[in-house]
Amino acid sequence: MLIIEGTSGNLIGKGLARLGNFNYAAVESRIFPDGESYIKMPRLDEKSVAIVQSAYAPQDKHLLELLFMASELREHGCDEIVAIIPYLAYARQNKRFEDNEAVGISTLMKLINSSGVDSIITVEPHRYEIMKMFAGKSKIVEMSEAISLAIKNGIEKPVILSPDKGGIERAKKVADITGCSYDYIEKARDYATGEVSAKASVSEDLRGRNVAIVDDIISTGGTVEQAARIAKSCGSNRVIAAAAHLVMANGAYERIRNAGVSELYGTNTIPYNSAKLIDISEYVLRALNELRS
Ligand code: R5P
């Protein structure tokens, strides 16, 4: 199999090729003066190809380039095209929260499929059921194990805290692997403003305890901010945060730091300098092997 690093592969393709002993090549790309993307595929001697292209910002550009790459591979006669999309953008618009909203992820999945992609590997999409919107095979890479390891090394005897009810399963998984307890906070989001509010519903006694807030994604930082403030107001000691995807929209880092988060952990699905990042290559390799077995 040939691994092709796309423009936003973030060198995950290189790691994957090294660990899995695959051939490796990077796509050639540039931006035309008017802002359009130029894509040229490397020499294609193999019929099985995996493209690594994460969909972090600028999301639309990276996604369009993925479609260009897949189409070119299909036209070239490749018969197995795997799209490894470490961060899958638009996954949070998985349904209509209000009438007439476009369900972006549904359209995106159709486009990816029609461009020639046979299967997708992605890391913890916001809702796992969105993978059913893709007509081919798919595999989800879970980061609970790696995040637990990072937490174990980073903080002593923590309580794992999910910042919302939807994340309880993740918190439980991480707590089970870490060998500690877990709890959650009730969160509400105002969809008009995007602002987050939370009820201090923690049942664990957090006084003097270390807390690790675990989520799938940190975007504006509002969710983790609320959780950190609650943890602090309940008397916790150190508070750290970990998420698979550090989108970290403008100001998110300062926001969570000001709320008392002392360290941030994430993965390299999105490049980000202010956190300790776990390399996902070996986890992606496992998923790729399972997908192809
Ligand atoms: C929501 O349900 C997700 O799990 C995250 O908690 C959320 O997307 C994080 O967004 P933000 O950082 O903007 O609060």
Side-chain angles (χ1 to χ4, degrees), residues 184-261:
Y184 75 98
I185 284 168
E186 289 235 24
K187 173 180 100 174
R189 189 187 289 274
D190 179 333
Y191 283 101
T193 63
E195 281 309 307
V196 165
S197 61
K199 286 191 236 159
S201 58
V202 188
S203 47
E204 282 277 322
D205 184 359
L206 297 184
R207 278 174 297 177
R209 311 271 303 273
N210 289 330
V211 170
I213 302 166
V214 175
D215 208 348
D216 57 337
I217 178 169
I218 303 179
S219 182
T220 63
T223 303
V224 167
E225 178 193 10
Q226 288 294 336
R229 288 200 190 285
I230 289 175
K232 283 286 179 193
S233 71
C234 293
S236 66
N237 182 22
R238 262 177 80 198
V239 177
I240 66 168
H245 308 291
L246 299 181
V247 171
M248 304 305 284
N250 266 348
Y253 186 67
E254 292 66 32
R255 204 169 172 180
I256 64 172
R257 292 283 296 182
N258 291 340
V261 173

